Amino acid sequence: MVKATVLGAAGGIGQPLSLLLRLNPIITELSLYDIVNSVGVATDLSHIPTSQKVTGYSPSDKNDQTQLAEALKGSDIVVIPAGIPRKPGMTRDDLFKINASIVKGLVNQVGLTCPNAFLCIISNPVNSTVPIAVEQLKKLKVYNPKKVFGITTLDNLRLEQFLSDTVAGSIAPKDLFSDVITIGGHSGETIVPIINSWAKGLLDTEYEKLIHRVQFGGDEVVQAKNGAGSATLSMATAAYRFVSNLLQALSTNNTIKEVAFINLVPSLNGYDYNVPNGVKDEVEYFSLPLKIDRDGIKLVEFPPNLSPKEEELVTIAISKLKADITKGVNFVHGPKL
Ligand code: NAD
Ligand code: LMR
């Protein structure tokens, strides 16, 4: 029996993600929560014939936590795409003011109701919302560092697609899966593409263009949608890739490989860990390759043999990430005096 819950299920990401989850045979119960229209979405999905139970929950008023608690009860995986998306001219950090409170409130109820669930945060700015989630769970004394993930998979999808485009389709994007990855964070220069030997086949100008396109790929969609939001369909696909992989780990004895933005505090965390001092002494969060089993993260591994260019990108990412992380931590605890 596996219960998966989507918080923000009626939104641009929430709906297609819920559809994909509806079609996953490992999930026996799908729980959809949103402040609007989640019952409609659940009813619609319930007409798709599968053996899964699907239920929608919405609060009766803005103080009602009972429906959220009911939606979360017994969850094995919770995915959070709740929150506002960007409009042209905005940075992801401009979403902080609204989304920080949304994520804190939802994660608080996760901590009270299903603290042992895998928690996957999509809401932006991920570089800050993940620290908010972690600090809120710590406050409740239920933080399990092996099970909290910021979803950066869309950056990985973009890298696979854009690199395949750059080499004129001579390698299919699917063959680049896990051969090339992004590490760091999820905004602009905090995103670091690691493309290994593929860089040798590219002109310098092609390589620079590729890095820029991966780092600022979100802007392309925001501009093209022209006020109607940001990436939703590609994001739902990305989140589904991550969650369906987690479901494999959860429902079998297999260890799976993924990349996600996680809290890097080894002495507290109890997972094995291979991250250079230059990274772990500088930032408490970083997106990195992970090995995950049913109990959560087993191993965090910094990619080996970075090129000097990739090292340089990591240094820039670290310098930019610090402020984003601190902003998230301070949102929960207030600034250190
Ligand atoms: P959207 O506005 O279409 O949907 C958001 C949904 O959240 C809405 O249905 C809204 O009712 C719901 N919501 C708001 N407050 C809520 C609450 N307190 N509880 C439950 N539900 C609530 O937005 P979207 O396009 O789906 O994007 C959602 C978020 O995902 C944004 O913050 C966006 O920036 C982010 N995003 C992240 C990535 C990533 O790579 N991590 C990619 C794309 C978008
Ligand atoms: C993305 O990378 O597409 C998302 O983070 C949404 C955005 O605001 O760009």
Side-chain angles (χ1 to χ4, degrees):
M1 303 289 275
V2 174
K3 177 170 175 179
T5 300
V6 182
L7 308 181
I13 297 165
Q15 290 206 35
L17 175 59
S18 300
L19 169 61
L20 293 168
L21 295 173
R22 170 69 178 165
L23 302 177
N24 186 299
I26 297 173
I27 298 171
T28 49
E29 184 175 350
L30 181 61
S31 171
L32 306 181
Y33 177 85
D34 200 297
I35 49 171
V36 293
N37 198 28
S38 47
V39 175
V41 174
T43 305
D44 191 356
L45 291 180
S46 74
H47 292 197
I48 299 171
T50 77
S51 48
Q52 194 183 76
K53 180 181 170 195
V54 52
T55 314
Y57 302 87
S58 283
S60 55
D61 59 55
K62 80 176 186 344
N63 298 317
D64 177 18
Q65 287 283 309
T66 60
Q67 293 303 298
L68 177 57
E70 200 54 41
L72 287 167
K73 201 189 288 173
S75 297
D76 300 290
I77 296 187
V78 178
V79 191
I80 308 189
I84 57 162
R86 283 198 289 164
K87 289 187 169 22
M90 292 171 82
T91 65
R92 289 183 188 79
D93 192 50
D94 293 332
L95 305 174
F96 186 92
K97 218 169 161 191
I98 293 177
N99 290 354
S101 304
I102 293 175
V103 169
K104 182 170 171 247
L106 292 172
V107 171
N108 186 58
Q109 196 55 248
V110 170
L112 294 173
T113 309
C114 55
N116 205 33
F118 282 90
L119 180 56
C120 307
I121 312 261
I122 295 173
S123 316
N124 270 318
V126 165
N127 295 353
S128 306
T129 53
V130 174
I132 288 172
V134 166
E135 293 307 318
Q136 190 58 31
L137 293 170
K138 279 188 194 162
K139 227 175 169 179
L140 295 172
K141 303 197 173 16
V142 293
Y143 174 48
N144 181 349
K146 295 179 172 186
K147 291 194 167 180
V148 181
F149 307 94
I151 306 300
T152 54
T153 319
L154 181 53
D155 304 319
N156 286 259
L157 261 60
R158 287 183 176 135
L159 177 57
E160 291 158 27
Q161 182 61 44
F162 299 165
L163 176 57
S164 175
D165 291 347
T166 307
V167 296
S170 61
I171 175 123
K174 71 176 171 45
D175 295 327
L176 290 166
F177 174 42
S178 79
D179 193 28
V180 296
I181 56 167
T182 63
I183 62 173
H186 176 68
S187 77
E189 288 171 296
T190 70
I191 302 170
V192 180
I194 304 292
I195 65 169
N196 302 314
S197 56
W198 288 100
K200 292 196 191 89
L202 303 181
L203 300 171
D204 287 351
T205 49
E206 287 176 326
Y207 185 31
E208 288 297 338
K209 211 167 144 191
L210 174 72
I211 293 169
H212 187 271
R213 199 169 172 213
V214 172
Q215 291 184 327
F216 296 92
D219 296 11
E220 261 183 44
V221 183
V222 170
Q223 276 152 23
K225 290 198 173 178
N226 197 20
S230 56
T232 53
L233 303 174
S234 52
M235 182 60 229
T237 307
Y240 184 69
R241 180 158 107 183
F242 186 86
V243 172
S244 59
N245 223 348
L246 268 193
L247 286 163
Q248 285 298 327
L250 201 69
S251 61
T252 64
N253 288 323
N254 297 345
T255 296
I256 59 110
K257 287 185 184 175
E258 262 305 340
V259 178
F261 187 69
I262 57 143
N263 184 202
L264 285 178
V265 189
S267 55
L268 292 178
N269 288 352
Y271 44 67
D272 292 328
Y273 160 116
N274 183 7
V275 180
N277 293 345
V279 176
K280 68 175 193 248
D281 294 346
E282 292 294 324
V283 274
E284 280 183 41
Y285 291 81
F286 216 70
S287 189
L288 284 173
L290 310 170
K291 287 192 178 153
I292 303 169
D293 69 11
R294 58 173 62 218
D295 296 321
I297 299 170
K298 273 173 71 172
L299 179 67
V300 183
E301 249 178 335
F302 198 85
N305 309 322
L306 263 51
S307 67
K309 174 69 183 174
E310 288 166 343
E311 301 267 10
E312 186 193 317
L313 293 174
V314 166
T315 306
I316 297 168
I318 288 174
S319 69
K320 307 246 168 205
L321 264 173
K322 284 181 178 175
D324 295 350
I325 294 166
T326 305
K327 192 168 175 179
V329 172
N330 287 350
F331 182 74
V332 177
H333 298 292
K336 275 186 193 146
L337 296 175

